[in-house]
Amino acid sequence: MAELAWEWDKQSSTYGNYGNANQWTVNAGLASLARESTQNTNDARSEENPSLVYTFIRLSGEARSDFLRTLNWSDELEPHLRAMSSESAGAVTAGHIKTGLEAMAQPDPLVLLKVSDYGCRGLTGPEFSDIDSERFGNFIKLCRLDLFSGKNETSGGSFGLGKAVYWRFSRIQTVLFNSMVADSDAVDGNTRNRLFGVNQGVVHRVGTKSFQGRGYFGVPRKKGSVTSTWASESVVESLHLQRAGNRPGTSAMIVGFYDPDEPDRGDTVDGLIKMAEELRSGIEESFWPLLARRRLQVRIEVVNDCARELDTVVDPEDTYTELVRALRRFDSGDLDETLDETYSVVARDIPISISKRKSGAGHAKFVHNAKLVVTKSDKQKDPLENKVCLLRQPEMVVQTLDRTFENHTYHAFLLAGGAVNPDSSSAEDRWADDFLRFAEPPAHDQWIPRGGRNKSSQSSLSAHYVAPWVPNLQAIEKSVAEQLLDLFGAPPPTGSKPPTAVFKHLSFLRGEAGEGGATGTTSRKPTIDITEWKVVDGHWHLTFRVKARNEPGGWALSPALYFIGLDGGGQEVAWDSLRSDDARIEDGAVLLEAKEKGRFVQATVTGVSVADLPIPAEDSAVDVQLRNVTNTRRKGATA
């Protein structure tokens, strides 16, 4: 085997990189590490039941020295890192490297984290990216490229950012890889121990030469580039990158592992064991569906100078008993009609409108029936109680919806896309999965669009689907809430005290001692719900339902049509016509007359936009909002 070395490209006169910005899109904390790294393994699966092993390694004394010697620490890596640290006043990454070097200079044990998957594709394909992207293998995608995903429709992400988690948790921005590939993916006849290292540093100067920020550990070539090598067992063992057995997959070694949120943890064996337990909790919370279906096995180890201090299998059933049992009962078709007893399980359809796709092979719009599964909880508390977990084909919890019902404790999850029938999904299941995948922002933690500080980018939908898609996603939460309300209903009162869920709406009953109730009432604001939408001859045609409390005098309200931009802002456009069979419409206002009986008054309205629009209707997203809402009896009182 050729001698291993570190190499950095010469600095370009027109461009200099001061660290890989992608890693700052990944949150710190072990829950983030658990989420991103487990998703990476799940996306790379090549077998039905892959496995994943996290190994915390603590090296001291001669073992630490042997590792650093094989890594060419003193001769190559450390001098370049020290040169990078001099840029700390102007680069965030350089500052982190400087702090990491200070920690490495101490005689304390060196901590590594090895993340090894088995039953996955491994680092396949050519060395360099100067070829057609269709020929890229996993080696190029992981080790050479940024912001390139190249994943299929059922993968966890579409941004190519998840791999940045490895460098995020390295004190010195350095990660090593060792991979085994299947015989069918052999490279020049080689399948075992494809070894490579990547340092994500900053531009720097060593002696009289200036270098780019990214460096590679492998076999140098005459032109200055570095290739991976098919290493001997002795080399990978000295780097603690040895793999068990012959199953294909990849081991990623985070050098100088730490938690950026709590950098002083992990210095002791007990500290590493606590970090391992926290990692286990994060994996269980995000991936309990995948583990419950036994489509992935995860183990966590802590090794102190070759002595195994912890070896545990991640099993979510102890923590999330109700959810695991409910999912397995759903898969077996063993469902109940009602939630009468603890662990009872019911399922309800949740329709999701999938927009017309304009990229790739494309497809027409359609309705996908997701499955809301609800189970009655036991008395053991856990973090997912009274929440609805949203998930699709990768069987990772993307988002949770909080819904509390007084006197009821439940667990629930929404199976969408390929997660409904992972072993026999239909084409429409996969299309629905793809739609929801593109709805996810880089953190893969949201389907339902939010506003304000909680708003995340969902711009990938605009590139692939015909608008509107915002109401499609918002309708998911509305439908889930309606089904839960149907299951649990209004909670019964306890003794002489009305339930909180009702009492909070009866503010007129409250008053200070001796004062009696408030003299005024607080009305719930009228609402609007879009039920149908389409584009015809350049006009938007929308059908929406307007609903308000039934109050004397009735209501006058004006629906306004807005074009929604990618930043969440809206531009109002005019209606060409508004009509309704349920209410009068005067000067663009819908008049809801009061009724003798009933709590609500409502009307269905059909509106058609003008043709003179800011952008073509086919390429736009729209919303309808209520303005000038007035209770006509109170003459100017608004809600």
Side-chain angles (χ1 to χ4, degrees), residues 506-583:
L506 304 182
S507 56
F508 63 90
L509 293 178
R510 300 180 181 179
E512 299 297 326
E515 292 183 355
T519 57
T521 63
T522 301
S523 301
R524 182 180 298 173
K525 291 183 179 181
T527 61
I528 190 165
D529 185 22
I530 301 174
T531 57
E532 293 183 21
W533 55 89
K534 60 183 177 180
V535 175
V536 179
D537 296 331
H539 297 259
W540 268 105
H541 290 240
L542 298 102
T543 301
F544 50 91
R545 184 173 62 249
V546 180
K547 186 177 181 180
R549 300 284 294 184
N550 185 17
E551 294 191 1
W555 297 87
L557 39 86
S558 301
L561 177 63
Y562 286 86
F563 267 42
I564 306 300
L566 294 180
D567 62 353
Q571 178 179 347
E572 185 175 357
V573 296
W575 294 108
D576 183 64
S577 65
L578 284 172
R579 63 180 179 82
S580 175
D581 294 332
D582 307 321

Side-chain angles (χ1 to χ4, degrees), residues 385-387 401-408 410 484 501:
E385 190 173 90
N386 295 327
K387 300 178 186 290
L401 305 177
D402 295 0
R403 289 291 183 275
T404 301
F405 294 87
E406 195 170 359
N407 299 329
H408 294 281
Y410 72 95
L484 291 176

Side-chain angles (χ1 to χ4, degrees), residues 444-493:
H444 308 298
D445 58 358
Q446 180 178 301
W447 289 345
I448 316 302
R450 303 299 189 196
R453 293 182 357 184
N454 295 321
K455 183 176 178 62
S456 296
S457 172
Q458 294 175 296
S459 58
S460 288
L461 283 171
S462 299
H464 297 280
Y465 293 89
V466 174
W469 40 262
V470 171
N472 306 27
L473 297 169
Q474 291 174 333
I476 297 174
E477 187 170 14
K478 294 178 183 178
S479 298
V480 167
E482 289 172 358
Q483 290 296 335
L484 291 176
L485 186 62
D486 183 64
L487 281 170
F488 298 122

Side-chain angles (χ1 to χ4, degrees), residues 38 44 74 120 138 147 188 215 240 339 382 434 438 476 514 533 583 628:
T38 306
S74 299
C120 298
N138 287 345
L147 279 175
D188 296 329
H240 296 268
L339 294 174
D382 68 63
D434 213 19
F438 284 114
I476 297 174
W533 55 89
N628 303 324

Side-chain angles (χ1 to χ4, degrees), residues 44-191:
R45 65 168 57 227
S46 61
E47 300 176 6
E48 283 298 315
N49 303 105
S51 58
L52 177 62
V53 181
Y54 293 87
T55 307
F56 292 87
I57 302 172
R58 188 171 181 265
L59 299 178
S60 59
E62 192 61 29
R64 183 182 193 270
S65 299
D66 287 345
F67 174 84
L68 293 177
R69 189 179 304 113
T70 307
L71 192 61
N72 291 358
W73 172 258
S74 299
D75 295 334
E76 295 174 349
L77 183 55
E78 184 184 25
H80 280 266
L81 293 175
R82 293 211 174 278
M84 294 175 193
S85 69
S86 65
E87 302 288 343
S88 59
V92 174
T93 299
H96 282 260
I97 291 174
K98 182 178 181 179
T99 303
L101 280 173
E102 291 171 354
M104 294 280 290
Q106 303 301 315
D108 300 329
L110 174 64
V111 178
L112 314 171
L113 176 61
K114 180 168 64 173
V115 184
S116 301
D117 56 39
Y118 297 86
C120 298
R121 285 291 306 280
L123 298 184
T124 59
E127 286 284 339
F128 300 105
S129 58
D130 54 350
I131 55 175
D132 190 286
S133 62
E134 294 295 325
R135 296 172 54 200
F136 288 174
N138 287 345
F139 177 82
I140 289 176
K141 294 175 187 177
L142 178 62
C143 300
R144 303 286 191 188
L145 303 179
D146 296 324
L147 279 175
F148 185 90
S149 176
K151 296 176 180 177
N152 61 28
E153 288 82 354
T154 58
S155 68
S158 57
F159 290 87
L161 290 169
K163 61 192 177 187
V165 73
Y166 299 127
W167 289 271
R168 183 80 165 96
F169 284 81
S170 169
R171 289 184 183 274
I172 56 172
Q173 300 285 293
T174 301
V175 180
L176 307 177
F177 300 97
N178 180 33
S179 182
M180 178 178 293
V181 298
D183 290 342
S184 57
D185 290 321
V187 179
D188 296 329
N190 297 301
T191 61

Side-chain angles (χ1 to χ4, degrees), residues 169-302:
F169 284 81
S170 169
R171 289 184 183 274
I172 56 172
Q173 300 285 293
T174 301
V175 180
L176 307 177
F177 300 97
N178 180 33
S179 182
M180 178 178 293
V181 298
D183 290 342
S184 57
D185 290 321
V187 179
D188 296 329
N190 297 301
T191 61
R192 190 174 185 84
N193 294 338
R194 188 174 194 176
L195 178 66
F196 198 63
V198 181
N199 165 248
Q200 301 267 25
V202 304
V203 293
H204 58 286
R205 187 175 183 86
V206 178
T208 60
K209 297 181 179 179
S210 297
F211 299 92
Q212 292 287 80
R214 178 172 293 187
Y216 297 113
F217 182 63
V219 178
R221 303 202 311 180
K222 291 182 179 180
K223 294 183 179 180
S225 57
V226 177
T227 66
S228 63
T229 185
W230 299 90
S232 66
E233 290 295 329
S234 61
V235 170
V236 297
E237 286 177 8
S238 64
L239 291 171
H240 296 268
L241 276 168
Q242 65 270 26
R243 291 177 54 82
N246 296 314
R247 294 175 73 190
T250 301
S251 296
M253 174 74 79
I254 301 173
V255 181
F257 171 80
Y258 79 128
D259 181 352
D261 279 350
E262 299 182 70
D264 295 331
R265 290 203 305 166
D267 292 340
T268 65
V269 174
D270 288 343
L272 279 184
I273 291 176
K274 289 180 180 179
M275 294 180 80
E277 290 297 321
E278 188 176 329
L279 179 66
R280 178 189 59 79
S281 296
I283 294 170
E284 286 182 351
E285 185 169 343
S286 289
F287 291 94
W288 67 262
L290 187 66
L291 298 169
R293 281 174 162 168
R294 299 184 176 90
R295 287 164 51 78
L296 179 69
Q297 291 79 44
V298 181
R299 199 173 84 248
I300 302 177
E301 306 171 326
V302 174

